[in-house]
Amino acid sequence: MKKALVTGASSGLGKYISIELSKKKIKVIGIARNKKKLEALKKIIGNKYFDYVNFDLKQIDEIEKISKIILMKEKFIDILINNAGIYKQSDLQNTKISEINDLIDTNLKAPIILTKIFSQIMKKKNKGYIVNISSIAGKIPINNSSVYCGTKFGLHGFGSALNKELKDNGIKVSTIFPGGINTPLWKNTKYKPGNLKKALHPKDVFRIIDIILKLGRNTNFNEAVLTPTIENF
């Protein structure tokens, strides 16, 4: 049975990815802060194809410990999906230093550390998939989101360079750059293009992940940019 580690698994895109992977008989280990939502997701998917770690990725110094616990139990992770992210719509001067740290820790440092740990094991078996969920803000600068853009541009650069580092080790690294997705991420933030119902659906992003996992051993899907037609870039 293949196993996937999905961060930000309790809601939105991460929840959708977890459910769809389980339908393909891939066991998902979900990481998220909200234990109640993780338990609810476990009831939906079932024990055979879902387990979770209730953990806040902002606890950077604890990520290695949590990862070792996961590997001790699961032995190997075939697919790492760095999906967790937080969004702050604010110019730099109105962004608190604590918020800057939270954005960088969650959106950039956590995926880099997780990738370092799990790619080491993948290299030993000469196989694996690493999928980074970035954002259109990792390709195109967005006004009043400078710190968020910085984290997503950073994830873009990390994924591109890592692809070169790991291409000869049987590990495929892909970065997806979605525009606005109709998820709870927008609950407290206005979706400026207009009607959120016209934004991307999580299934649009999962279709790309599905293609990535189905490609032949010698083919890699390096990058994918998806934007709803309502967004004008």
Side-chain angles (χ1 to χ4, degrees), residues 57-191:
L57 289 170
K58 292 196 294 290
Q59 297 176 262
I60 292 295
D61 294 337
E62 297 295 315
I63 290 177
E64 185 174 12
K65 178 182 175 182
I66 292 296
S67 299
K68 286 181 178 178
I69 291 172
I70 292 170
L71 284 169
M72 192 177 297
K73 183 175 181 180
E74 305 297 340
K75 308 304 179 188
F76 184 70
I77 296 295
D78 300 87
I79 305 157
L80 170 62
I81 300 182
N82 288 311
N83 166 72
I86 55 176
Y87 179 57
K88 174 67 178 178
Q89 195 174 75
S90 172
D91 64 22
L92 181 59
Q93 298 307 321
N94 289 307
T95 306
K96 297 175 183 177
I97 292 176
S98 60
E99 292 172 331
I100 293 172
N101 287 328
D102 287 350
L103 282 160
I104 293 172
D105 287 348
T106 305
N107 296 357
L108 186 58
K109 287 172 73 174
I112 289 175
I113 294 169
L114 286 168
T115 301
K116 173 180 169 58
I117 294 166
F118 289 97
S119 66
Q120 287 176 332
I121 310 300
M122 291 176 180
K123 284 178 74 173
K124 291 178 182 179
K125 293 205 173 186
N126 201 42
K127 65 177 183 176
Y129 297 88
I130 297 166
V131 180
N132 295 317
I133 307 297
S134 182
S135 163
I136 192 63
K139 281 278 189 182
I140 300 168
I142 307 296
N143 190 31
N144 290 325
S145 300
S146 53
V147 180
Y148 178 75
C149 285
T151 64
K152 293 302 185 178
F153 266 84
L155 192 61
H156 177 192
F158 170 66
S160 297
L162 188 69
N163 207 0
K164 296 181 182 296
E165 289 180 19
L166 298 179
K167 67 177 183 178
D168 295 327
N169 297 104
I171 302 171
K172 299 182 178 186
V173 182
S174 306
T175 305
I176 302 176
F177 302 88
I181 308 172
N182 190 351
T183 70
L185 181 73
W186 296 101
K187 184 177 180 180
N188 298 313
T189 307
K190 183 180 178 181
Y191 180 58

